[in-house]
Amino acid sequence: PEDCSHLVGDCEFYQCRERRHPCGATGYYRGYGYKYCDRFTRVLRPRLSRAGQRWVDQTRRCLMEYVDRHIPVDAPCDLVKRSAFDSHPRCYVVGGICFLDPGEWREIVSIIDPSDMEFKQTIVTGIDCLANWGALVIPGSLGAGGGLRGLMERDRRRNFGF
C-alpha cells in the first residue's frame, strides 16, 4: 500500500489518504482536507501578508501531521472527519492566527463555502483566541487560553519581536 507520510506539507497528502481509504466527496480527505488545502495554498496565500502566508504554511503542515500521526489509514470515515476537525483549532493557534490582522481573518473566513459551515465554525473557533489577548496584555491576569498562553506568547515574539 502507498505510504502518504512523505507527502505531509503537500496538498497531495489528502489525495493519497483518499486513495488508501476512500471516504468520498463529502469525506474529510476530499471534501475538506484537499479542497481547502488547495484553495488556501493557491488562492488565499498570495493575498496575505508574510505572517499570513507563514500561518497558511504552518497550519497546513500541522493539520497533515496530526492526520498522519493520529488517524489510522483505515479509520472509519466519520472518525476521520471528527478527529481531523478536532485538530483544527490547535493548529490555527499554533500557526499564529491570533496575531494576524483582522482583515486577514476576513480573507480566511470569506474563502470558505457557505455550505461548509462545519469547517467555517472550526475557523471561527481558532479566531476565538482573541479572548486570550487579555492574558497577554493584563499583567498578573490568569491565562484565559486553556493552556495556550505560552504558545501565544511564543508566537507573538516570533512574529512581531515583542
Side-chain angles (χ1 to χ4, degrees):
E2 184 178 12
D3 177 26
C4 304
S5 297
H6 70 284
L7 293 169
V8 167
D10 185 317
C11 297
E12 180 62 26
F13 170 79
Y14 294 113
Q15 299 284 59
C16 179
R17 289 290 289 231
E18 178 70 15
R19 287 190 298 273
R20 293 279 319 269
H21 185 74
C23 289
T26 60
Y28 182 80
Y29 300 132
R30 275 181 51 205
Y32 296 94
Y34 181 78
K35 174 181 170 179
Y36 286 107
C37 180
D38 182 62
R39 192 178 292 179
F40 276 45
T41 301
R42 284 186 318 100
V43 179
L44 178 67
R45 192 179 186 282
R47 297 183 195 167
L48 300 177
S49 67
R50 260 197 321 241
Q53 292 174 357
R54 190 168 42 246
W55 174 79
V56 169
D57 297 342
Q58 291 174 347
T59 301
R60 178 179 56 234
R61 176 163 286 283
C62 179
L63 294 170
M64 290 180 194
E65 284 176 351
Y66 181 87
V67 168
D68 190 53
R69 292 178 185 160
H70 301 286
I71 302 175
V73 173
D74 60 351
C77 295
D78 61 329
L79 178 65
V80 170
K81 187 182 272 189
R82 190 171 53 251
S83 296
F85 276 126
D86 285 349
S87 73
H88 286 207
R90 181 184 179 282
C91 287
Y92 299 147
V93 173
V94 169
I97 199 167
C98 299
F99 302 103
L100 297 181
D101 181 272
E104 292 190 306
W105 297 339
R106 283 190 295 278
E107 287 281 342
I108 292 165
V109 172
S110 74
I111 203 163
I112 301 165
D113 294 338
S115 60
D116 288 334
M117 292 307 290
E118 188 175 9
F119 186 62
K120 185 174 267 188
Q121 192 58 42
T122 303
I123 292 271
V124 170
T125 300
I127 292 173
D128 279 348
C129 62
L130 278 176
N132 296 305
W133 269 96
L136 296 176
V137 298
I138 302 170
S141 68
L142 294 175
L148 296 175
R149 179 178 178 178
L151 293 173
M152 292 181 65
E153 288 174 344
R154 182 211 62 205
D155 290 341
R156 182 192 67 218
R157 285 190 298 273
R158 183 181 66 211
N159 292 327
F160 299 100
F162 65 89

